[in-house]
Amino acid sequence: AGRSLEALYSEDTMKDAESRGKEEVSALLRLRRACCLSLERRRQELRLLLRAWHPDKHQGKGVTQSRANEVFCYIQAFKPVLFPSESKSRT
C-alpha cells in the first residue's frame, strides 16, 4: 500500500488490490470512502474492517484463516494513509 492519500486512489493501488483478490478490492473501496469522513468515523470504519477480517473470526469458516490474515494485513497497511499525523508521531 502507498503512504499517501493520492496512493490510495491511484490506478496502481487498484491493480494491486485486483491482483490480490475481490476481498482486497472491496476493502480498498471502503477505505477510499472512509477518507472523506471525520477522523472519528475513519477510525470506526477501519476498526469495523479489521474486526471483520480478523483471522480469529475465520477459524473453520468459508474463508480460511490464512486468507483472512492476508486481507487483514492489507487493510492494516493503509492505517498510515488514513491517519498520517499519528504515524509521524510514532516514528
Side-chain angles (χ1 to χ4, degrees):
R3 295 291 174 230
S4 70
L5 192 56
E6 293 82 22
L8 185 64
Y9 287 92
S10 79
E11 189 176 320
D12 288 340
T13 301
M14 180 55 80
K15 286 180 182 176
D16 177 59
E18 289 170 344
S19 72
R20 293 169 183 262
K22 64 182 179 182
E23 295 86 359
E24 282 86 351
V25 171
S26 176
L28 177 61
L29 293 173
R30 281 184 67 178
L31 291 169
R32 284 178 172 183
R33 286 191 298 271
C35 287
C36 303
L37 303 173
S38 68
L39 184 62
E40 189 52 41
R41 289 284 296 133
R42 269 185 280 162
R43 279 189 216 289
Q44 184 179 19
E45 188 66 19
L46 182 65
R47 276 195 302 265
L48 289 171
L49 265 172
L50 290 172
R51 187 178 305 138
W53 284 103
H54 197 282
D56 290 347
K57 290 191 148 245
H58 293 275
Q59 294 178 351
K61 295 187 180 173
V63 175
T64 66
Q65 193 171 13
S66 64
R67 178 68 180 124
N69 187 58
E70 290 171 8
V71 178
F72 182 86
C73 290
Y74 179 79
I75 296 165
Q76 187 77 12
F78 283 102
K79 192 173 183 179
V81 175
L82 294 171
F83 309 105
S85 60
E86 294 177 12
S87 300
K88 290 176 186 173
S89 66
R90 291 182 182 176
T91 55

